[in-house]
Structure formats: C-alpha cells, structure tokens
Amino acid sequence: SPEPTLAIGGQSRPEAAMTGDSVSKTPFLVTGLPRTRSAWLAAALTDDGDRCCFHEPAGTFPTYEAFRDWLVAPNEVHVGAADHAIGFVAARLLQDIRPRILLVERPFGEAAQSFERYMAGIKIDVVAVIEFMTRLQGCLDELSGPLVYRIKYRDLDNPKRLKAALRWLVPGIDLE
C-alpha cells in the first residue's frame, strides 16, 4: 500500500525523512476525546524550524506498526501527532517508543455535544459514535505514568497551565 503523504516543509513525510540531518528526538503526542482542540494544539506545536505536529495522521496508516515506524523514522524535524485515535494505541506506544503524551481531558458529555454540533446536518449513527467515544474514554482513563501529562480542557484557556503542559511535552519549546 502507498506511503501516506503528509507535508513537512513542502515535502511528504517519507521524503523528508530521507533528507538532511536526522533529529533523534522521541515523538510527542496529543490525544483525548474528539473535539478537544487537537487541530489547534497541532498548529501551536508546529514551528517553521525543527518541529512539526501532524493533525490526525493515525488513520492514514494501514497498521499500528506502520504508524509507530513513521513516528520514529529519522527526520529533519522533531515529529509529533495530535489525534484522538492515538488514545486507542497510546498504552502500546508508551511501551514501544516511550513518547511523551499530553492527554486533554474534556468531560464526556461536553465532547459528545460538541461533536453533535460539529456534525449538524450530516447523518451519523449517534449510537455508534457514543460507543466509539465510550471505548476511547476507557483507553484514556487507563493511561498513566511519568510520560503522561493530563490537562483539563478548560485549562487550555489558562496561559500559565497551557504553557506548563506544552513545556513538559516538548522540553525547550520557545513559547514567547
């Protein structure tokens, strides 16, 4: 199957991985229920220099192993991913590659209501969505350890708490 083509500085991820000096930094990950500002966080964690945080890349890979290998492939930039789907495999990623994981905790009801508003006018199987989110919440609830940092969704609006979380996730990040 073809390699996913996710852009880094105008190059697809596989092409970028084969050029220039390699950055040997462990990937950083952001996860949580859907509608927890993962796109916003991916943008905040991406700079024009040496760091790129992809938004929702997990679904572009045919297997867990392909996704894991993509995360750790040598690259010019420090690679991260912000994706609710990571929550399903986060425990396994912690064992395999030991990334730092920022877990955004949004109350289930709020996330479900936000998702419903976002999907307004689109026919969806609400029962299936709730079952999906319930399974994901179970996986997220089990994540713990020194490589997992939890931040409440409401604290994303608190500059001091947000900066602390981002500095933990990507040590040395310039937030000024």
Side-chain angles (χ1 to χ4, degrees):
S1 83
E3 295 257 3
T5 54
L6 302 170
I8 292 180
Q11 297 179 321
S12 72
R13 175 71 166 87
E15 291 165 358
M18 293 183 261
T19 62
D21 294 329
S22 174
V23 173
S24 61
K25 295 183 179 178
T26 302
F28 57 93
L29 306 173
V30 178
T31 194
L33 290 173
R35 310 298 299 153
T36 53
R37 295 191 185 164
S38 61
W40 181 79
L41 287 163
L45 289 163
T46 297
D47 70 11
D48 291 332
D50 65 348
R51 189 178 55 259
C52 186
C53 184
F54 292 92
H55 182 241
E56 298 185 350
T60 65
F61 293 89
T63 64
Y64 164 81
E65 290 78 13
F67 178 60
R68 179 203 59 214
D69 293 349
W70 173 79
L71 283 170
V72 297
N75 203 327
E76 295 176 5
V77 298
H78 189 183
V79 172
D83 191 331
H84 65 268
I86 289 170
F88 288 112
V89 296
R92 192 169 172 192
L93 287 167
L94 282 168
Q95 289 179 342
D96 289 353
I97 63 172
R98 302 190 45 76
R100 287 179 179 234
I101 299 176
L102 178 62
L103 174 53
V104 180
E105 297 180 307
R106 186 171 190 182
F108 188 92
E110 276 184 27
Q113 288 174 351
S114 178
F115 187 80
E116 186 177 10
R117 284 190 305 273
Y118 178 72
M119 298 301 289
I122 299 173
K123 187 176 179 164
I124 60 171
D125 183 343
V126 176
V127 172
V129 170
I130 296 299
E131 288 174 355
F132 168 85
M133 289 179 66
T134 300
R135 284 193 317 273
L136 177 57
Q137 185 67 64
C139 293
L140 298 173
D141 289 346
E142 292 181 11
L143 284 179
S144 65
L147 295 175
V148 178
Y149 187 108
R150 293 172 178 270
I151 185 169
K152 303 272 186 223
Y153 177 79
R154 68 176 176 269
D155 287 340
L156 295 176
D157 291 328
N158 179 314
K160 184 177 179 180
R161 289 186 178 150
L162 176 60
K163 285 180 180 182
L166 297 182
R167 285 185 174 124
W168 176 87
L169 183 64
V170 183
I173 189 172
D174 181 8
L175 298 172
E176 304 309 320

